[in-house]
Amino acid sequence: MKELTKAEQQVMQVLWQIEQGVVHDIIEKLPTPKPAYNTISTIVRILVKKEFVGFTAHGKTHQYYPLVSKDDYSKQFLNTFIGGYFGGSFKNLVSFFVKEENMDIDDLDALMTHVKQNIAKDENSTD
């Protein structure tokens, strides 16, 4: 899966939120100052080429929708990030945040509880 630029990620965030829409729908959800129509149209066409976005043509209008789920992209992005900056080790990532963000024992306990709940939920969903 290809990596997205910041602008492409911003457009994808909107498409994941609205699930489908035309360029005007995407622009409407973006923060002020709103980018130009042609800018967003170009970004969406790039996302189509990268196979992140599909479309349905309705005359001259195109309705766009995500082809890649937010979860799939998040997993790939996180794996790339952890691999590039933390030697592929989640333990090194957590250690970094403990040290740099001054996490206390309560924060770590909350993190561990959250991780355990997600593992249990994943195990139950595969049964």
Side-chain angles (χ1 to χ4, degrees):
M1 185 180 307
K2 296 177 183 174
E3 196 169 320
L4 299 177
T5 66
K6 186 175 178 180
E8 292 165 349
Q9 286 180 31
Q10 194 173 24
V11 169
M12 285 304 299
Q13 290 290 342
V14 171
L15 281 172
W16 287 320
Q17 177 189 357
I18 66 175
E19 296 180 359
Q20 63 180 2
V22 296
V23 172
H24 285 296
D25 297 331
I26 297 167
I27 294 169
E28 182 180 301
K29 295 288 185 180
L30 292 171
T32 306
K34 304 288 185 189
Y37 180 94
N38 287 344
T39 301
I40 298 305
S41 180
T42 299
I43 292 169
V44 170
R45 285 194 308 272
I46 291 167
L47 289 167
V48 168
K49 275 187 180 177
K50 287 184 172 183
E51 298 180 347
F52 275 81
V53 171
F55 65 90
T56 306
H58 302 281
K60 291 183 178 183
T61 303
H62 291 79
Q63 184 144 29
Y64 298 99
Y65 53 89
L67 293 174
V68 174
S69 75
K70 186 174 185 177
D71 283 346
D72 287 345
Y73 184 73
S74 298
K75 287 175 193 171
Q76 183 266 334
F77 180 82
L78 189 56
N79 286 336
T80 301
F81 178 76
I82 292 172
Y85 291 96
F86 299 99
S89 169
F90 182 72
K91 181 178 152 189
N92 291 346
L93 171 72
V94 173
S95 295
F96 171 81
F97 279 107
V98 167
K99 189 169 100 179
E100 294 299 317
E101 299 299 323
N102 298 319
M103 291 178 74
D104 61 22
I105 199 73
D106 292 335
D107 292 333
L108 287 172
D109 282 342
L111 177 62
M112 287 304 299
T113 299
H114 183 71
V115 168
K116 288 176 184 176
Q117 288 171 346
N118 282 333
I119 290 171
K121 184 170 55 170
D122 286 347
E123 288 173 352
N124 290 334
S125 69
T126 58
D127 293 338

PDB file of all heavy atoms in Angstrom, residues 82-108:
ATOM      1  N   ILE A  82       6.306   2.469  13.182  1.00  0.00           N
ATOM      2  CA  ILE A  82       7.037   1.743  14.231  1.00  0.00           C
ATOM      3  C   ILE A  82       8.298   1.113  13.656  1.00  0.00           C
ATOM      4  O   ILE A  82       9.360   1.140  14.284  1.00  0.00           O
ATOM      5  CB  ILE A  82       6.131   0.684  14.895  1.00  0.00           C
ATOM      6  CG1 ILE A  82       5.026   1.378  15.699  1.00  0.00           C
ATOM      7  CG2 ILE A  82       6.936  -0.235  15.808  1.00  0.00           C
ATOM      8  CD1 ILE A  82       3.962   0.435  16.236  1.00  0.00           C
ATOM      9  N   GLY A  83       8.203   0.580  12.441  1.00  0.00           N
ATOM     10  CA  GLY A  83       9.372  -0.017  11.799  1.00  0.00           C
ATOM     11  C   GLY A  83      10.461   1.000  11.531  1.00  0.00           C
ATOM     12  O   GLY A  83      11.640   0.750  11.760  1.00  0.00           O
ATOM     13  N   GLY A  84      10.074   2.193  11.062  1.00  0.00           N
ATOM     14  CA  GLY A  84      11.042   3.217  10.705  1.00  0.00           C
ATOM     15  C   GLY A  84      11.672   3.933  11.880  1.00  0.00           C
ATOM     16  O   GLY A  84      12.832   4.333  11.821  1.00  0.00           O
ATOM     17  N   TYR A  85      10.915   4.097  12.970  1.00  0.00           N
ATOM     18  CA  TYR A  85      11.415   4.902  14.083  1.00  0.00           C
ATOM     19  C   TYR A  85      11.722   4.110  15.348  1.00  0.00           C
ATOM     20  O   TYR A  85      12.435   4.590  16.221  1.00  0.00           O
ATOM     21  CB  TYR A  85      10.408   6.006  14.427  1.00  0.00           C
ATOM     22  CG  TYR A  85      10.328   7.059  13.358  1.00  0.00           C
ATOM     23  CD1 TYR A  85       9.350   6.997  12.376  1.00  0.00           C
ATOM     24  CD2 TYR A  85      11.244   8.105  13.299  1.00  0.00           C
ATOM     25  CE1 TYR A  85       9.279   7.957  11.376  1.00  0.00           C
ATOM     26  CE2 TYR A  85      11.181   9.068  12.312  1.00  0.00           C
ATOM     27  CZ  TYR A  85      10.193   8.985  11.352  1.00  0.00           C
ATOM     28  OH  TYR A  85      10.125   9.929  10.362  1.00  0.00           O
ATOM     29  N   PHE A  86      11.170   2.899  15.465  1.00  0.00           N
ATOM     30  CA  PHE A  86      11.332   2.152  16.709  1.00  0.00           C
ATOM     31  C   PHE A  86      11.793   0.715  16.470  1.00  0.00           C
ATOM     32  O   PHE A  86      11.566  -0.155  17.298  1.00  0.00           O
ATOM     33  CB  PHE A  86      10.022   2.172  17.508  1.00  0.00           C
ATOM     34  CG  PHE A  86       9.599   3.562  17.877  1.00  0.00           C
ATOM     35  CD1 PHE A  86       8.633   4.234  17.141  1.00  0.00           C
ATOM     36  CD2 PHE A  86      10.200   4.230  18.941  1.00  0.00           C
ATOM     37  CE1 PHE A  86       8.262   5.525  17.465  1.00  0.00           C
ATOM     38  CE2 PHE A  86       9.840   5.523  19.267  1.00  0.00           C
ATOM     39  CZ  PHE A  86       8.872   6.183  18.525  1.00  0.00           C
ATOM     40  N   GLY A  87      12.446   0.494  15.338  1.00  0.00           N
ATOM     41  CA  GLY A  87      13.003  -0.824  15.043  1.00  0.00           C
ATOM     42  C   GLY A  87      11.965  -1.935  14.992  1.00  0.00           C
ATOM     43  O   GLY A  87      12.272  -3.080  15.279  1.00  0.00           O
ATOM     44  N   GLY A  88      10.726  -1.571  14.663  1.00  0.00           N
ATOM     45  CA  GLY A  88       9.664  -2.566  14.569  1.00  0.00           C
ATOM     46  C   GLY A  88       9.145  -3.040  15.915  1.00  0.00           C
ATOM     47  O   GLY A  88       8.361  -3.979  15.984  1.00  0.00           O
ATOM     48  N   SER A  89       9.539  -2.379  16.988  1.00  0.00           N
ATOM     49  CA  SER A  89       9.174  -2.827  18.327  1.00  0.00           C
ATOM     50  C   SER A  89       8.124  -1.917  18.969  1.00  0.00           C
ATOM     51  O   SER A  89       8.369  -0.734  19.208  1.00  0.00           O
ATOM     52  CB  SER A  89      10.425  -2.851  19.213  1.00  0.00           C
ATOM     53  OG  SER A  89      10.067  -3.033  20.566  1.00  0.00           O
ATOM     54  N   PHE A  90       6.961  -2.495  19.264  1.00  0.00           N
ATOM     55  CA  PHE A  90       5.925  -1.758  19.973  1.00  0.00           C
ATOM     56  C   PHE A  90       6.420  -1.393  21.372  1.00  0.00           C
ATOM     57  O   PHE A  90       6.118  -0.324  21.893  1.00  0.00           O
ATOM     58  CB  PHE A  90       4.636  -2.584  20.045  1.00  0.00           C
ATOM     59  CG  PHE A  90       3.509  -1.867  20.725  1.00  0.00           C
ATOM     60  CD1 PHE A  90       2.866  -0.817  20.092  1.00  0.00           C
ATOM     61  CD2 PHE A  90       3.102  -2.232  21.995  1.00  0.00           C
ATOM     62  CE1 PHE A  90       1.823  -0.135  20.727  1.00  0.00           C
ATOM     63  CE2 PHE A  90       2.075  -1.562  22.628  1.00  0.00           C
ATOM     64  CZ  PHE A  90       1.425  -0.512  21.990  1.00  0.00           C
ATOM     65  N   LYS A  91       7.205  -2.283  21.957  1.00  0.00           N
ATOM     66  CA  LYS A  91       7.786  -2.029  23.284  1.00  0.00           C
ATOM     67  C   LYS A  91       8.636  -0.760  23.255  1.00  0.00           C
ATOM     68  O   LYS A  91       8.558   0.067  24.171  1.00  0.00           O
ATOM     69  CB  LYS A  91       8.625  -3.235  23.707  1.00  0.00           C
ATOM     70  CG  LYS A  91       9.267  -3.130  25.054  1.00  0.00           C
ATOM     71  CD  LYS A  91      10.017  -4.417  25.362  1.00  0.00           C
ATOM     72  CE  LYS A  91      11.168  -4.151  26.283  1.00  0.00           C
ATOM     73  NZ  LYS A  91      12.028  -5.312  26.445  1.00  0.00           N
ATOM     74  N   ASN A  92       9.447  -0.590  22.210  1.00  0.00           N
ATOM     75  CA  ASN A  92      10.261   0.623  22.094  1.00  0.00           C
ATOM     76  C   ASN A  92       9.386   1.867  21.934  1.00  0.00           C
ATOM     77  O   ASN A  92       9.711   2.931  22.476  1.00  0.00           O
ATOM     78  CB  ASN A  92      11.217   0.515  20.909  1.00  0.00           C
ATOM     79  CG  ASN A  92      12.309  -0.503  21.133  1.00  0.00           C
ATOM     80  OD1 ASN A  92      12.535  -0.952  22.242  1.00  0.00           O
ATOM     81  ND2 ASN A  92      12.979  -0.882  20.051  1.00  0.00           N
ATOM     82  N   LEU A  93       8.276   1.740  21.201  1.00  0.00           N
ATOM     83  CA  LEU A  93       7.343   2.857  21.042  1.00  0.00           C
ATOM     84  C   LEU A  93       6.759   3.267  22.385  1.00  0.00           C
ATOM     85  O   LEU A  93       6.757   4.453  22.740  1.00  0.00           O
ATOM     86  CB  LEU A  93       6.222   2.479  20.060  1.00  0.00           C
ATOM     87  CG  LEU A  93       5.063   3.462  19.950  1.00  0.00           C
ATOM     88  CD1 LEU A  93       5.500   4.728  19.221  1.00  0.00           C
ATOM     89  CD2 LEU A  93       3.890   2.818  19.233  1.00  0.00           C
ATOM     90  N   VAL A  94       6.268   2.293  23.142  1.00  0.00           N
ATOM     91  CA  VAL A  94       5.683   2.589  24.452  1.00  0.00           C
ATOM     92  C   VAL A  94       6.733   3.177  25.383  1.00  0.00           C
ATOM     93  O   VAL A  94       6.472   4.154  26.096  1.00  0.00           O
ATOM     94  CB  VAL A  94       5.026   1.326  25.054  1.00  0.00           C
ATOM     95  CG1 VAL A  94       4.574   1.583  26.495  1.00  0.00           C
ATOM     96  CG2 VAL A  94       3.843   0.887  24.203  1.00  0.00           C
ATOM     97  N   SER A  95       7.941   2.621  25.362  1.00  0.00           N
ATOM     98  CA  SER A  95       9.018   3.148  26.198  1.00  0.00           C
ATOM     99  C   SER A  95       9.312   4.604  25.866  1.00  0.00           C
ATOM    100  O   SER A  95       9.542   5.425  26.761  1.00  0.00           O
ATOM    101  CB  SER A  95      10.292   2.321  26.013  1.00  0.00           C
ATOM    102  OG  SER A  95      10.106   1.023  26.481  1.00  0.00           O
ATOM    103  N   PHE A  96       9.291   4.926  24.586  1.00  0.00           N
ATOM    104  CA  PHE A  96       9.511   6.303  24.153  1.00  0.00           C
ATOM    105  C   PHE A  96       8.454   7.227  24.757  1.00  0.00           C
ATOM    106  O   PHE A  96       8.774   8.282  25.301  1.00  0.00           O
ATOM    107  CB  PHE A  96       9.483   6.382  22.621  1.00  0.00           C
ATOM    108  CG  PHE A  96       9.490   7.783  22.088  1.00  0.00           C
ATOM    109  CD1 PHE A  96      10.672   8.497  21.981  1.00  0.00           C
ATOM    110  CD2 PHE A  96       8.305   8.400  21.700  1.00  0.00           C
ATOM    111  CE1 PHE A  96      10.688   9.791  21.485  1.00  0.00           C
ATOM    112  CE2 PHE A  96       8.308   9.692  21.204  1.00  0.00           C
ATOM    113  CZ  PHE A  96       9.497  10.391  21.101  1.00  0.00           C
ATOM    114  N   PHE A  97       7.182   6.822  24.678  1.00  0.00           N
ATOM    115  CA  PHE A  97       6.119   7.667  25.205  1.00  0.00           C
ATOM    116  C   PHE A  97       6.172   7.763  26.726  1.00  0.00           C
ATOM    117  O   PHE A  97       5.880   8.815  27.287  1.00  0.00           O
ATOM    118  CB  PHE A  97       4.742   7.190  24.729  1.00  0.00           C
ATOM    119  CG  PHE A  97       4.430   7.658  23.348  1.00  0.00           C
ATOM    120  CD1 PHE A  97       4.443   6.775  22.284  1.00  0.00           C
ATOM    121  CD2 PHE A  97       4.147   8.990  23.096  1.00  0.00           C
ATOM    122  CE1 PHE A  97       4.174   7.214  20.994  1.00  0.00           C
ATOM    123  CE2 PHE A  97       3.876   9.443  21.812  1.00  0.00           C
ATOM    124  CZ  PHE A  97       3.899   8.544  20.768  1.00  0.00           C
ATOM    125  N   VAL A  98       6.557   6.696  27.379  1.00  0.00           N
ATOM    126  CA  VAL A  98       6.691   6.739  28.839  1.00  0.00           C
ATOM    127  C   VAL A  98       7.736   7.776  29.211  1.00  0.00           C
ATOM    128  O   VAL A  98       7.526   8.601  30.100  1.00  0.00           O
ATOM    129  CB  VAL A  98       7.055   5.347  29.401  1.00  0.00           C
ATOM    130  CG1 VAL A  98       7.496   5.441  30.852  1.00  0.00           C
ATOM    131  CG2 VAL A  98       5.876   4.390  29.254  1.00  0.00           C
ATOM    132  N   LYS A  99       8.866   7.741  28.501  1.00  0.00           N
ATOM    133  CA  LYS A  99       9.967   8.654  28.806  1.00  0.00           C
ATOM    134  C   LYS A  99       9.660  10.092  28.383  1.00  0.00           C
ATOM    135  O   LYS A  99       9.824  11.034  29.163  1.00  0.00           O
ATOM    136  CB  LYS A  99      11.241   8.167  28.098  1.00  0.00           C
ATOM    137  CG  LYS A  99      12.490   8.918  28.505  1.00  0.00           C
ATOM    138  CD  LYS A  99      13.721   8.231  27.976  1.00  0.00           C
ATOM    139  CE  LYS A  99      14.182   8.955  26.734  1.00  0.00           C
ATOM    140  NZ  LYS A  99      15.376   8.400  26.136  1.00  0.00           N
ATOM    141  N   GLU A 100       9.196  10.266  27.157  1.00  0.00           N
ATOM    142  CA  GLU A 100       9.017  11.617  26.604  1.00  0.00           C
ATOM    143  C   GLU A 100       7.750  12.316  27.089  1.00  0.00           C
ATOM    144  O   GLU A 100       7.722  13.533  27.186  1.00  0.00           O
ATOM    145  CB  GLU A 100       9.005  11.566  25.073  1.00  0.00           C
ATOM    146  CG  GLU A 100      10.318  11.149  24.459  1.00  0.00           C
ATOM    147  CD  GLU A 100      11.464  12.085  24.794  1.00  0.00           C
ATOM    148  OE1 GLU A 100      11.279  13.314  24.757  1.00  0.00           O
ATOM    149  OE2 GLU A 100      12.559  11.569  25.111  1.00  0.00           O
ATOM    150  N   GLU A 101       6.706  11.560  27.351  1.00  0.00           N
ATOM    151  CA  GLU A 101       5.432  12.162  27.752  1.00  0.00           C
ATOM    152  C   GLU A 101       5.187  12.063  29.255  1.00  0.00           C
ATOM    153  O   GLU A 101       4.112  12.387  29.728  1.00  0.00           O
ATOM    154  CB  GLU A 101       4.277  11.497  26.988  1.00  0.00           C
ATOM    155  CG  GLU A 101       4.365  11.650  25.482  1.00  0.00           C
ATOM    156  CD  GLU A 101       4.339  13.097  25.016  1.00  0.00           C
ATOM    157  OE1 GLU A 101       3.610  13.920  25.628  1.00  0.00           O
ATOM    158  OE2 GLU A 101       5.052  13.408  24.054  1.00  0.00           O
ATOM    159  N   ASN A 102       6.217  11.586  29.967  1.00  0.00           N
ATOM    160  CA  ASN A 102       6.118  11.468  31.421  1.00  0.00           C
ATOM    161  C   ASN A 102       4.855  10.725  31.865  1.00  0.00           C
ATOM    162  O   ASN A 102       4.134  11.165  32.752  1.00  0.00           O
ATOM    163  CB  ASN A 102       6.172  12.853  32.086  1.00  0.00           C
ATOM    164  CG  ASN A 102       7.482  13.547  31.816  1.00  0.00           C
ATOM    165  OD1 ASN A 102       8.534  12.925  31.850  1.00  0.00           O
ATOM    166  ND2 ASN A 102       7.427  14.835  31.540  1.00  0.00           N
ATOM    167  N   MET A 103       4.589   9.581  31.214  1.00  0.00           N
ATOM    168  CA  MET A 103       3.439   8.766  31.591  1.00  0.00           C
ATOM    169  C   MET A 103       3.672   8.218  32.993  1.00  0.00           C
ATOM    170  O   MET A 103       4.767   7.790  33.333  1.00  0.00           O
ATOM    171  CB  MET A 103       3.253   7.606  30.608  1.00  0.00           C
ATOM    172  CG  MET A 103       2.804   8.030  29.233  1.00  0.00           C
ATOM    173  SD  MET A 103       2.649   6.625  28.103  1.00  0.00           S
ATOM    174  CE  MET A 103       1.164   5.858  28.695  1.00  0.00           C
ATOM    175  N   ASP A 104       2.609   8.220  33.787  1.00  0.00           N
ATOM    176  CA  ASP A 104       2.733   7.643  35.121  1.00  0.00           C
ATOM    177  C   ASP A 104       2.157   6.227  35.125  1.00  0.00           C
ATOM    178  O   ASP A 104       1.663   5.741  34.116  1.00  0.00           O
ATOM    179  CB  ASP A 104       2.072   8.538  36.183  1.00  0.00           C
ATOM    180  CG  ASP A 104       0.579   8.734  35.961  1.00  0.00           C
ATOM    181  OD1 ASP A 104      -0.048   7.896  35.278  1.00  0.00           O
ATOM    182  OD2 ASP A 104       0.037   9.710  36.492  1.00  0.00           O
ATOM    183  N   ILE A 105       2.201   5.585  36.272  1.00  0.00           N
ATOM    184  CA  ILE A 105       1.775   4.185  36.381  1.00  0.00           C
ATOM    185  C   ILE A 105       0.287   4.025  36.064  1.00  0.00           C
ATOM    186  O   ILE A 105      -0.133   3.019  35.485  1.00  0.00           O
ATOM    187  CB  ILE A 105       2.137   3.599  37.774  1.00  0.00           C
ATOM    188  CG1 ILE A 105       2.128   2.069  37.749  1.00  0.00           C
ATOM    189  CG2 ILE A 105       1.230   4.126  38.841  1.00  0.00           C
ATOM    190  CD1 ILE A 105       3.279   1.482  37.026  1.00  0.00           C
ATOM    191  N   ASP A 106      -0.526   5.031  36.401  1.00  0.00           N
ATOM    192  CA  ASP A 106      -1.964   4.964  36.090  1.00  0.00           C
ATOM    193  C   ASP A 106      -2.196   4.983  34.581  1.00  0.00           C
ATOM    194  O   ASP A 106      -3.059   4.266  34.076  1.00  0.00           O
ATOM    195  CB  ASP A 106      -2.717   6.127  36.754  1.00  0.00           C
ATOM    196  CG  ASP A 106      -2.750   6.001  38.277  1.00  0.00           C
ATOM    197  OD1 ASP A 106      -2.648   4.860  38.776  1.00  0.00           O
ATOM    198  OD2 ASP A 106      -2.874   7.043  38.951  1.00  0.00           O
ATOM    199  N   ASP A 107      -1.417   5.812  33.863  1.00  0.00           N
ATOM    200  CA  ASP A 107      -1.528   5.855  32.406  1.00  0.00           C
ATOM    201  C   ASP A 107      -1.149   4.506  31.795  1.00  0.00           C
ATOM    202  O   ASP A 107      -1.809   4.012  30.880  1.00  0.00           O
ATOM    203  CB  ASP A 107      -0.626   6.949  31.814  1.00  0.00           C
ATOM    204  CG  ASP A 107      -1.080   8.349  32.173  1.00  0.00           C
ATOM    205  OD1 ASP A 107      -2.287   8.555  32.409  1.00  0.00           O
ATOM    206  OD2 ASP A 107      -0.204   9.240  32.207  1.00  0.00           O
ATOM    207  N   LEU A 108      -0.071   3.909  32.322  1.00  0.00           N
ATOM    208  CA  LEU A 108       0.362   2.608  31.820  1.00  0.00           C
ATOM    209  C   LEU A 108      -0.667   1.523  32.112  1.00  0.00           C
ATOM    210  O   LEU A 108      -0.945   0.672  31.266  1.00  0.00           O
ATOM    211  CB  LEU A 108       1.718   2.221  32.420  1.00  0.00           C
ATOM    212  CG  LEU A 108       2.912   3.006  31.883  1.00  0.00           C
ATOM    213  CD1 LEU A 108       4.155   2.671  32.686  1.00  0.00           C
ATOM    214  CD2 LEU A 108       3.135   2.692  30.422  1.00  0.00           C
TER     215      LEU A 108
END
